[in-house]
């Protein structure tokens, strides 16, 4: 018996060592490749545990990345949740990778979609390109440009006013969850979806979903991931109901919004099924409001901690009101354009926020950069936040200082400010987000007195979170 156990142990050790060697010294077609330095940690779990150790109360990028940059330089390799990853915090390399979208690299999550949407004989890359063009076009059409200026700004203004009026009746509110709740409702409104289906179900639980992104993808009952997947299913089912209800009406009785456009396009775009539209709507809502609510919460925390900034912000926005014929009229695009300090507060918050540690891509071919090889199939993490904290561009980079934006020129910013990503995959909701945040701050500081009553701590674990929330109490200035 003992012998058998020993043999099994020996076999296991040999097998594991073999795995470890293959793991640590990968080859392409039998030829060893020159990988960037770094450690792959243990097989399967890699260095996941080290990344999941939260960092408390520092706005700096996650220590997992800081430490490794110090040890290995700006390009290193690691392994997270079972995937070999090259991390790059080298701005030149990042710019190059952004320029290779659809050629040497692809957005990692699109890869699994591609199989589903490729027409017969069509390559995966072409299929991704087609679906992506559609996604980007429909988002920009409804959330950008003219639609944003003409249709959305008044809607944003009205809904922010409604939300804050509600908050002012509630005692203390926790900003992140209150914004997620109301702006989620908002999102549905902007996507043109009615808030409740005819059966009266409410849509909630979206905020939980983000947790699943960085949790271990183990889909069994009891895990965070499992719960999040269930929340997600519930949400997309709800959207499915709404779609069904819409389709009962003829196209000219429908409101002509985002959802309608998608439903109308079903005739010409083969990949657009009811299921796909439900997932797409959910995906856009998620991309949109999780990041907007986090940015606004961080802005509120910074304002509460920096009374001089709040004072100047309030002065600028009150001056806008004074110039109006009717102080109660809505915020206009022209007014928004004059609010330079408000925009600086938004920019400065975006600079420090850096919700995820980096953006993910998948290498489609072997990529050679700076004498290293990134093997095909590997994940690439572009640490774009690194440029936001460069002391040569942003003096005293961890300090919240909106006044610094007076001295930053557009050429510098084009290289050193990328909260919405870079290249052809830049955020399609960037302009919408900035306008939403400015409008929110505008209403908050002109109509309300407010103070933080509790919370305000942050962690990066590894995404930016507020462990005890940011609680504020707001009261109308007219009371
Ligand atoms: C503060 C708020 C926001 C931040 C910081 C943000 C950030 C980003 C980033 C960094 C990317 C690029 C991801 C990558 O390259 O891997 C992205 C893509 C995207 N975002 Fe946002 N986002 C925000 C709000 C929004 C909103 C409000 C919408 C929709 C109305 C939106 C829709 C999208 C879409 C559709 C993409 C994919 C674009 C493409 O692949 O061409 N985002 N966002
Ligand atoms: C905010 O950042 C954008 C770049 O995204 C820049 O064009 C704009 O001038 C900045 N605004 C201010 C007030 O500095």
């Amino acid at each position: 018996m003992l012998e058998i156990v020993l043999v099994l142990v020996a076999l296991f050790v040999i097998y594991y060592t073999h795995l470890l060697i293959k793991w640590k010294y990968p080859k392409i077609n039998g030829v060893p490749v020159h990988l960037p330095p770094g450690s792959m940690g243990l097989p399967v779990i890699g260095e996941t545990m080290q990344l999941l150790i939260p960092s408390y109360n520092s706005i700096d990028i996650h220590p997992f990345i800081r430490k490794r940059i110090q040890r290995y330089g700006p390009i290193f390799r690691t392994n997270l949740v079972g995937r070999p990853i090259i991390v790059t915090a080298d701005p030149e390399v990042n710019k190059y990778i952004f320029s290779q979208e659809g050629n040497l690299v692809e957005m990692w999550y699109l890869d699994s979609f591609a199989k589903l949407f490729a027409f017969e004989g069509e390559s995966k890359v072409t299929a991704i390109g087609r679906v992506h063009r559609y996604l980007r076009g429909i988002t920009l059409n409804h959330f950008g440009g003219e639609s944003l200026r003409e249709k959305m700004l008044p809607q944003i203004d009205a809904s922010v006013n409604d939300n804050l009026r509600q908050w002012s009746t509630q005692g203390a509110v926790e900003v992140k969850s209150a914004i997620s709740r109301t702006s989620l409702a908002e999102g549905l409104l902007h996507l043109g979806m009615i808030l409740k289906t005819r059966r009266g179900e409410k849509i909630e639980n979206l905020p939980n979903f983000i947790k699943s992104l960085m949790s271990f993808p183990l889909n069994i009952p009891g895990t965070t991931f499992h719960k999040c997947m269930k929340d997600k299913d519930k949400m997309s089912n709800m959207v499915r109901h709404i779609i069904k209800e819409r389709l009962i009406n003829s196209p000219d009785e429908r409101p002509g919004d985002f959802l309608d456009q998608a439903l109308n396009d079903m005739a010409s775009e083969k990949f657009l099924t009811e299921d796909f539209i439900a997932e797409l709507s959910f995906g856009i809502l998620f991309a949109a409001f999780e990041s907007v609510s986090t940015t606004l919460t961080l802005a509120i925390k910074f304002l509460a901690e920096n009374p001089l900034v709040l004072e100047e912000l309030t002065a600028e926005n009150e001056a806008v009101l004074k110039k109006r014929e009717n102080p109660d009229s809505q915020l206009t695009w022209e007014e928004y354009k004059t609010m330079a300090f408000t925009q600086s507060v938004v920019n400065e918050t975006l600079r420090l926020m850096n919700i995820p540690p980096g953006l993910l891509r998948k290498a489609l071919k072997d990529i050679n950069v700076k004498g290293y090889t990134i093997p095909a199939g590997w994940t690439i993490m572009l640490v774009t936040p690194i440029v936001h904290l460069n002391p040569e561009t942003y003096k005293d980079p961890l300090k919240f200082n909106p006044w610094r934006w007076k001295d930053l020129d557009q050429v510098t910013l084009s290289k050193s400010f990328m909260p919405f990503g870079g290249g052809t995959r830049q955020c399609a909701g960037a302009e919408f987000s900035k306008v939403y945040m400015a409008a929110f701050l505008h209403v908050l500081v002109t109509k309300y007195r407010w103070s933080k009553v509790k919370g305000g701590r942050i962690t990066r674990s590894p995404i930016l979170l507020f462990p005890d929330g940011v609680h504020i109490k707001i009261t109308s200035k007219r009371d």
Side-chain angles (χ1 to χ4, degrees), residues 67-129:
K67 272 192 211 143
R68 281 163 183 73
I69 293 175
Q70 268 159 21
R71 196 177 311 154
Y72 304 119
I75 308 179
F76 59 88
R77 69 176 194 272
T78 181
N79 178 285
L80 300 170
V81 269
R83 291 200 191 107
I85 297 186
I86 302 293
V87 179
T88 140
D90 180 320
E92 251 176 65
V93 173
N94 291 0
K95 190 166 169 235
Y96 174 68
I97 304 268
F98 274 137
S99 77
Q100 290 303 312
E101 205 78 57
N103 180 26
L104 294 180
V105 297
E106 190 50 85
M107 257 165 141
W108 63 292
Y109 67 86
L110 285 176
D111 192 62
S112 52
F113 276 11
K115 285 194 272 311
L116 299 171
F117 303 128
F119 293 135
E120 223 169 83
E122 190 184 33
S123 82
K124 229 164 63 169
V125 173
T126 328
I128 292 178

Side-chain angles (χ1 to χ4, degrees), residues 255-329:
D257 54 21
F258 176 97
L259 189 57
D260 265 351
Q261 187 188 337
L263 295 176
N264 290 336
D265 291 343
M266 279 168 81
S268 51
E269 299 279 2
K270 272 201 201 139
F271 63 86
L272 282 179
T273 58
E274 283 177 37
D275 277 347
F276 182 76
I277 294 172
E279 299 286 337
L280 177 74
S281 310
F282 174 82
I284 288 183
L285 272 181
F286 174 69
F289 295 103
E290 189 52 42
S291 21
V292 173
S293 63
T294 301
T295 318
L296 267 174
T297 307
L298 190 63
I300 302 267
K301 165 192 153 72
F302 283 145
L303 290 174
E305 290 165 1
N306 294 274
L308 288 179
V309 177
L310 180 59
E311 205 173 288
E312 179 144 352
L313 180 73
T314 311
E316 178 175 273
N317 282 276
E318 282 180 341
V320 169
L321 250 57
K322 286 214 185 80
K323 288 206 192 100
R324 283 184 193 158
E325 281 175 27
N326 171 7
D328 284 329
S329 61

Side-chain angles (χ1 to χ4, degrees), residues 22 73 147 166 186 227:
K22 245 177 73 181
S147 175
Q166 257 183 9
E186 211 45 46
K227 187 169 173 320

Side-chain angles (χ1 to χ4, degrees), residues 339-348 350 402 404-410 413-414 417-420 426 430-431 434:
M339 290 154 44
F341 192 72
T342 310
Q343 291 180 32
S344 302
V345 168
V346 170
N347 278 3
E348 183 70 347
L350 286 166
R404 70 168 86 241
W405 287 84
K406 275 198 296 226
D407 307 321
L408 291 163
D409 62 276
Q410 299 297 335
L413 289 182
S414 67
F417 188 54
M418 40 181 65
F420 297 105
Q426 260 181 70
E431 209 48 46
K434 292 201 266 189

Side-chain angles (χ1 to χ4, degrees), residues 107 132 136 143 288 291 295 361 419-421 425 427 429 432-433:
M107 257 165 141
H132 173 252
R136 199 175 171 78
F143 289 89
S291 21
T295 318
R361 293 293 183 273
F420 297 105
R425 292 290 149 91
C427 178
F432 172 88
S433 307

